[in-house]
Amino acid sequence: MPYDEQVKLKLDLVSENFGEFYDGGFEFFTSNSTHYRTRAEFGIWHDNDKISYTMNHAHGGKLCIDECLKVSDKIFTIMPKLLSKISENDNLKQRLFGVDFLQSSSEVLITLLYHKKLDESYLNDIRGLADALEVKILARSRKVKILSDELDLKDELNINGKKFELKLSETAFTQPNKAINEKMISWAGECVCDSDDLLELYCGHGNFTIPLSFKFNRVLATEISKSSIANAKQNCQINGVSNTKFLRMSADELMSAFNKEREFNRLKDIDIFDYNFTHVLVDPPRAGLSKSVIEFIKNYENIIYISCCMDSLKRDLKHLNKTHKVLKFGVFDQFANTHHVECGVLLKRFYDG
């Protein structure tokens, strides 16, 4: 299907699902139709001596492929070379079941996933493969990981002409479509008005936090992943951000702290009641927001909601629109040539009571 037809279908779908909450124009941010993914995961299919990449078929089952037009140019070029090199090495090929690609601005990391115990005897093979492809290789099996060389995963974001450098870990969640990610961050920044302090839930390694921190007096951001919090703190230092505090807490734990239901040692040096939050930014997983989070954020004037799942977003808006009006609605085509879209919603409080 031509890309412009895909855009129309997605816009119609969003309008149909969210017209009850928003009567303005839906902003649609288009993607390249090919070579846009800088993160991709594939299965591996073994057919005697031949191996192939696999993807989940839309109607169930697995689809064997030799190439994928969705991945970035660099990953696209590497994919057949990787299969060829692994096919020549029985040690690397045996019981390999998956391959993940992650491209940052500094390097490409390929993760090989195995259903067998790995030991240091694999190191020379992995290093040879990494040198041949000019990438970094990480081999993983249960409780074991072997790395070809030191990792220095850094991403560079260009937000309205200003550049930000973000350090990543190999397990970090990253938005797969970098160009659309930059558009989402810019859009979120345009939602900020009359700013004082920002509360961000599900902050990851600081993808939104770092660029938006320059629009606020102070930022309090939470994330449950220990490695993501460590990266987020480093990213503040790299980008000269001094007004942001990070908490390794789940969103529901923070709700308990605000409701004074529990005391947390992690909060001993932070007075969460000293902030004047004018904006709350949430970027939850596909399941959306819990009831406790919804009830909490309804107390704040401006909510910026980034969603990767229309079903959970629609469910949550049914609650939030009792106290807030949708002022802006962005549709971000993170996943061209699929039925998925990412949405951004700005809500402003209209009801006091």
Side-chain angles (χ1 to χ4, degrees):
M1 179 185 299
Y3 185 65
D4 58 344
E5 292 185 22
Q6 294 182 41
V7 171
K8 184 180 184 306
L9 283 175
K10 289 182 177 182
L11 263 175
D12 289 345
L13 182 62
V14 170
S15 298
E16 179 183 331
N17 276 276
F18 297 101
E20 63 180 291
F21 309 112
Y22 182 61
D23 57 6
F26 292 91
E27 299 175 83
F28 196 99
F29 296 85
T30 59
S31 168
N32 290 334
S33 59
T34 60
H35 301 304
Y36 59 85
R37 286 193 70 116
T38 55
R39 175 172 59 86
E41 301 83 34
F42 299 97
I44 292 292
W45 179 263
H46 295 256
D47 184 8
N48 296 319
D49 290 333
K50 178 179 169 57
I51 57 173
S52 304
Y53 297 107
T54 67
M55 295 178 64
N56 292 326
H57 197 282
H59 302 293
K62 300 289 185 181
L63 179 66
C64 288
I65 62 169
D66 294 318
E67 61 180 22
C68 178
L69 292 174
K70 296 178 183 178
V71 300
S72 69
D73 288 321
K74 185 174 285 190
I75 295 175
F76 182 82
T77 300
I78 290 171
M79 285 180 67
K81 296 177 182 178
L82 178 67
L83 277 190
S84 177
K85 291 292 183 184
I86 292 177
S87 295
E88 297 168 0
N89 186 316
D90 287 339
N91 201 32
L92 293 178
K93 182 171 62 174
Q94 185 184 42
R95 304 204 71 184
L96 174 69
F97 73 90
V99 177
D100 297 346
F101 294 89
L102 176 60
Q103 179 185 337
S104 70
S105 59
S106 58
E107 58 194 23
V108 173
L109 172 66
I110 299 173
T111 302
L112 307 178
L113 306 172
Y114 287 94
H115 279 316
K116 64 179 178 180
K117 186 175 180 180
L118 301 177
D119 56 41
E120 291 301 319
S121 67
Y122 282 80
L123 186 56
N124 285 337
D125 288 333
I126 291 166
R127 283 178 173 168
L129 180 61
D131 290 343
L133 298 177
E134 299 182 322
V135 299
K136 299 294 173 66
I137 301 285
L138 176 63
R140 297 184 71 105
S141 63
R142 182 178 173 83
K143 297 183 179 180
V144 176
K145 67 177 183 179
I146 302 172
L147 187 60
S148 63
D149 200 353
E150 276 191 36
L151 271 184
D152 187 27
L153 286 171
K154 293 177 183 175
D155 209 8
E156 186 175 272
L157 299 173
N158 189 331
I159 310 300
N160 299 323
K162 184 171 183 177
K163 292 185 178 180
F164 300 90
E165 187 178 279
L166 301 183
K167 180 178 175 61
L168 313 172
S169 67
E170 72 270 14
T171 58
F173 172 80
T174 59
Q175 297 288 354
N177 190 325
K178 181 179 178 180
I180 291 295
N181 181 43
E182 291 175 332
K183 292 178 182 179
M184 286 201 305
I185 298 169
S186 296
W187 180 89
E190 293 168 1
C191 292
V192 176
C193 61
D194 301 323
S195 60
D196 195 343
D197 298 335
L198 169 68
L199 174 64
E200 182 183 0
L201 308 180
Y202 320 95
C203 70
H205 59 269
N207 181 65
F208 285 96
T209 322
I210 304 300
L212 293 184
S213 66
F214 293 91
K215 291 181 171 286
F216 292 91
N217 292 332
R218 294 183 298 172
V219 178
L220 181 65
T222 70
E223 167 61 46
I224 197 170
S225 166
K226 186 176 181 179
S227 62
S228 292
I229 287 291
N231 285 147
K233 291 179 178 178
Q234 290 184 54
N235 291 333
C236 279
Q237 295 176 350
I238 292 169
N239 293 280
V241 174
S242 59
N243 65 342
T244 298
K245 298 287 187 182
F246 292 97
L247 291 172
R248 188 168 69 85
M249 302 180 75
S250 71
D252 286 315
E253 285 176 328
L254 185 62
M255 301 306 99
S256 293
F258 271 113
N259 292 329
K260 299 182 179 181
E261 297 168 352
R262 288 179 57 188
E263 291 187 3
F264 294 86
N265 190 52
R266 284 163 281 179
L267 292 173
K268 65 180 181 180
D269 298 321
I270 299 177
D271 183 359
I272 59 175
F273 299 101
D274 185 47
Y275 288 83
N276 179 31
F277 296 120
T278 57
H279 293 70
V280 179
L281 171 66
V282 292
D283 184 11
R286 293 187 62 82
L289 302 175
S290 67
K291 290 182 179 179
S292 67
V293 172
I294 289 174
E295 288 305 312
F296 176 79
I297 66 175
K298 283 165 68 172
N299 296 311
Y300 294 95
E301 185 175 359
N302 301 289
I303 301 171
I304 303 170
Y305 191 142
I306 306 295
S307 171
C308 62
C309 177
M310 288 200 297
D311 289 341
S312 58
L313 175 61
K314 185 175 182 179
R315 179 201 66 209
D316 293 346
L317 287 182
K318 287 182 183 294
H319 297 285
L320 291 171
N321 83 331
K322 296 175 183 177
T323 54
H324 288 71
K325 177 179 175 62
V326 176
L327 297 186
K328 291 181 66 174
F329 201 118
V331 185
F332 303 91
D333 201 10
Q334 276 272 6
F335 311 98
N337 302 307
T338 76
H339 66 281
H340 296 290
V341 292
E342 195 106 352
C343 296
V345 183
L346 171 64
L347 301 107
K348 191 170 188 67
R349 186 173 172 85
F350 62 82
Y351 171 72
D352 293 316

